[in-house]
Amino acid sequence: MKLLKSVVSLLFILVFLTGCSVEPRPIPYGEANCAHCNMTVTDNRYGAELVNDKGKPYYFDSAECLAAYVAEQPEVGEKAAYLLVTDYLNPNELIDAHSAHFLQSEALPSPMGMNLTAVKDEAAATQMQQEYGGQLLDWNQVVLAVKNDDKFQ
């Protein structure tokens, strides 16, 4: 009986710790709604995620929705444990929004119309710019473009 209590206690602790971990979670495409625009997150080339300091994930259907969310609530963005966007060239791979390279190009329409595509690698972003046109942005420029509603320059 004592062994059973110990096992149950250990399982409870493991479940509790797992539920409270501050880690990114896979975006549940087709099930999650965007925390900003409430649309269903469906395109695995453009999804984004914010994990707050308590480990709660918020999902977004695009980098521009994530940027709008943190622009409207800067304290949430500052306290976030993770701000992640999807690497367009490796769908389902989440990358740090602050180190991502963004191409804003009309040739690559994103779900919410800002035409923002995130990639992990700078050389790949430059190559995509040569192929599709547009301008390269960093995360701070993305947030500013969303604040100013700059669809494309």
Side-chain angles (χ1 to χ4, degrees):
M1 188 68 174
K2 187 174 181 179
L3 178 63
L4 181 61
K5 282 184 178 181
S6 296
V7 170
V8 170
S9 295
L10 182 61
L11 286 173
F12 179 76
I13 290 169
L14 287 173
V15 168
F16 179 75
L17 290 175
T18 303
C20 295
S21 67
V22 181
E23 295 293 327
R25 305 234 173 100
I27 297 173
Y29 290 101
E31 298 174 15
N33 288 343
C34 177
H36 178 68
C37 72
N38 206 30
M39 291 180 62
T40 303
V41 182
T42 58
D43 193 335
N44 69 351
R45 299 171 302 168
Y46 290 100
E49 181 176 350
L50 179 153
V51 180
N52 72 11
D53 58 342
K54 295 180 174 73
K56 181 175 179 165
Y58 295 88
Y59 304 110
F60 301 88
D61 61 354
S62 65
E64 53 260 45
C65 278
L66 173 61
Y69 191 83
V70 299
E72 292 168 358
Q73 305 170 79
E75 70 284 353
V76 173
E78 291 167 9
K79 290 173 61 178
Y82 295 96
L83 290 176
L84 304 164
V85 292
T86 298
D87 182 356
Y88 179 82
L89 299 174
N90 297 298
N92 296 314
E93 181 181 345
L94 294 171
I95 56 176
D96 182 1
H98 294 98
S99 64
H101 305 275
F102 295 88
L103 176 62
Q104 188 177 32
S105 171
E106 291 177 320
L108 293 169
S110 58
M112 296 310 293
M114 290 285 295
N115 303 322
L116 290 167
T117 300
V119 292
K120 183 178 185 177
D121 183 65
E122 184 176 8
T126 301
Q127 185 177 354
M128 288 176 64
Q129 181 187 29
Q130 291 170 353
E131 185 175 344
Y132 297 107
Q135 62 182 350
L136 294 175
L137 305 170
D138 63 23
W139 175 246
N140 292 330
Q141 292 168 319
V142 165
V143 174
L144 186 59
V146 169
K147 276 184 181 177
N148 296 332
D149 197 27
D150 291 336
K151 298 283 185 198
F152 186 75
Q153 295 178 351

